[in-house]
Amino acid sequence: MNEGVPDPDPRQELRRFWLRALVGLCAGIAAAAGVAAYLGISQRELIASIHGVALEPLLLAAAGGLILMGLQALRWWLVMRPLLALTYGQAYRALMVGFAFNVLLPARGGDLLRVQYLGKRTGVSRAKLLGTEIVDFWSDKWGWVAAFPLVCLLGSPPAWLFHALLLIAGAVFGVGALLALMGSGLWRGPRTPAFIANLRDGFAVNHWKRLLLVETLIAPLPWLWETFVIALAGHALGLDLSPMQAFAALTAFNVATAVPSPGNAGSFEAGGTLALAAFGLPKETALAFIFLYHLTQIVPGFVGGVLILSIEGQQIFGREGLFRLRRPGLPLDTPVVPEPDPGEAHPTRQCTSEKPA
């Protein structure tokens, strides 16, 4: 992600994109097929469970998914704001664009494209943006740890959820310590590569007190809200899910995203179905519900992201699409000064953002 390196050939990148997407999709489908075989799911009963589904809870879940994205955008906006003076509306649109590409790219590749999207439109170092993106990802997982005790007040968690807590909490504290170390001045020096220096600056842009406030008050909100949305959507198939059951399903299909499938296809269904079946719910109904709920979450966000790109004159594919986004200036609250990495061959690289007054 060195700003001094020319953009790669878009045709070659497009071929790699399709290859990664195909491999990831096969991995996700394999995960779902493996869970279906393990649980002994009947195809006939699975199809029968979808008949007579109530549409109203699913439509409410789709609307709830847009609100969920708004809460995630709020957290991301607060983490990003010390580096980039976006408005909340601009942050929401950028998050939706990244979400649209996450549906197409495996391993949350849309988040990396969101960094490229903002870097090219604002002139801010993409390494710094990547640093704050990693901090936001860490904040999201910390939100799960903070939300877990609150959900436990509403029900008794299964034993496997405590194991997930230990795993995720250990990862959160380990990554947090690494971010704090990289954000400190211990590794500063004249020989530090420009990319590492900018990445470290992205880690350090948020003061720890401010970041702690975001983690405590904002980061748990998306998890708690989606727990409510899952419980609400369950009524579409006659499921009366408790908050703990909904939170367990939410945890399971987030853990299953370790399988790098585009849009979490297959892995989402595998994780959620296992969690609900462990509570004794009919396995065919559980799979049908998780599949329908997954659609309510990805379709509105994907369509919204494509519409945003279309309105802004961007193409998803083509010569100036996907990896060659156009470079019109993104209007910001405060003009942004381009930040070329030190040591580049062209330190005065042109950028479309406005010059400071």
Side-chain angles (χ1 to χ4, degrees):
M1 202 172 286
N2 189 335
E3 280 88 335
V5 177
D7 289 337
D9 182 0
R11 291 174 297 181
Q12 183 179 3
E13 288 298 312
L14 194 58
R15 287 193 293 268
R16 292 177 180 175
F17 157 72
W18 285 118
L19 179 61
R20 290 195 300 266
L22 180 60
V23 172
L25 182 61
C26 291
I29 293 175
V35 168
Y38 171 74
L39 295 177
I41 291 178
S42 167
Q43 183 177 358
R44 179 179 299 178
E45 293 184 17
L46 176 63
I47 296 175
S49 64
I50 300 179
H51 289 299
V53 62
L55 293 179
E56 292 83 359
L58 295 179
L59 293 176
L60 291 175
L66 296 176
I67 297 175
L68 171 65
M69 194 172 296
L71 293 173
Q72 294 169 338
L74 176 62
R75 183 198 65 234
W76 180 72
W77 176 60
L78 292 173
V79 172
M80 185 71 64
R81 191 164 177 79
L83 176 65
L84 189 62
L86 294 171
T87 67
Y88 173 73
Q90 290 165 344
Y92 188 94
R93 293 196 297 272
L95 192 77
M96 189 170 284
V97 167
F99 180 88
F101 283 118
N102 275 335
V103 176
L104 300 174
L105 290 170
R108 298 186 66 87
D111 293 344
L112 296 179
L113 282 184
R114 183 171 65 207
V115 169
Q116 182 182 14
Y117 173 82
L118 287 175
K120 285 196 170 186
R121 293 174 67 86
T122 63
V124 175
S125 166
R126 280 170 282 178
K128 288 186 180 180
L129 291 170
L130 179 61
T132 54
E133 191 75 31
I134 295 173
V135 171
D136 177 71
F137 183 78
W138 173 76
S139 301
D140 176 53
K141 303 315 172 191
W142 173 256
W144 183 91
V145 175
F148 182 78
L150 299 177
V151 179
C152 287
L153 297 176
L154 304 176
S156 178
W160 68 265
L161 206 53
F162 282 110
H163 296 308
L165 173 64
L166 294 176
L167 177 65
I168 296 177
V172 164
F173 286 111
V175 173
L178 178 61
L179 294 180
L181 177 62
M182 291 196 67
S184 67
L186 296 180
W187 290 357
R188 297 184 186 275
R191 295 186 178 181
T192 303
F195 175 81
I196 298 299
N198 281 329
L199 185 67
R200 184 186 55 217
D201 289 343
F203 294 151
V205 71
N206 282 278
H207 191 273
W208 71 268
K209 291 183 178 179
R210 182 180 183 277
L211 192 58
L212 182 61
L213 182 65
V214 173
E215 311 302 325
T216 305
L217 300 181
I218 305 300
L221 295 181
W223 293 90
L224 297 174
W225 173 254
E226 189 167 9
T227 297
F228 167 75
V229 172
I230 292 173
L232 176 65
H235 294 286
L237 276 77
L239 297 176
D240 188 15
L241 299 177
S242 68
M244 181 54 68
Q245 289 173 330
F247 186 77
L250 172 61
T251 300
F253 58 63
N254 271 275
V255 171
T257 58
V259 178
S261 59
N264 302 322
S267 59
F268 188 102
E269 285 74 15
T273 301
L274 282 174
L276 293 182
F279 285 104
L281 275 66
K283 50 187 180 296
E284 290 81 10
T285 305
L287 177 57
F289 164 67
I290 293 296
F291 172 73
L292 293 174
Y293 176 74
H294 193 187
L295 289 180
T296 66
Q297 300 305 293
I298 62 173
V299 172
F302 178 76
V303 173
V306 172
L307 287 177
I308 290 171
L309 288 174
S310 300
I311 292 172
E312 294 181 350
Q314 308 290 350
Q315 300 178 25
I316 298 181
F317 301 105
R319 182 174 179 81
E320 296 200 5
L322 193 60
F323 293 98
R324 286 184 176 271
L325 297 172
R326 297 179 188 175
R327 302 170 64 97
L330 181 67
L332 303 175
D333 292 343
T334 305
V336 176
V337 179
E339 297 185 34
D341 289 332
E344 288 181 353
H346 302 286
T348 59
R349 179 174 55 89
Q350 295 294 321
C351 180
T352 56
S353 55
E354 299 179 4
K355 294 181 180 180

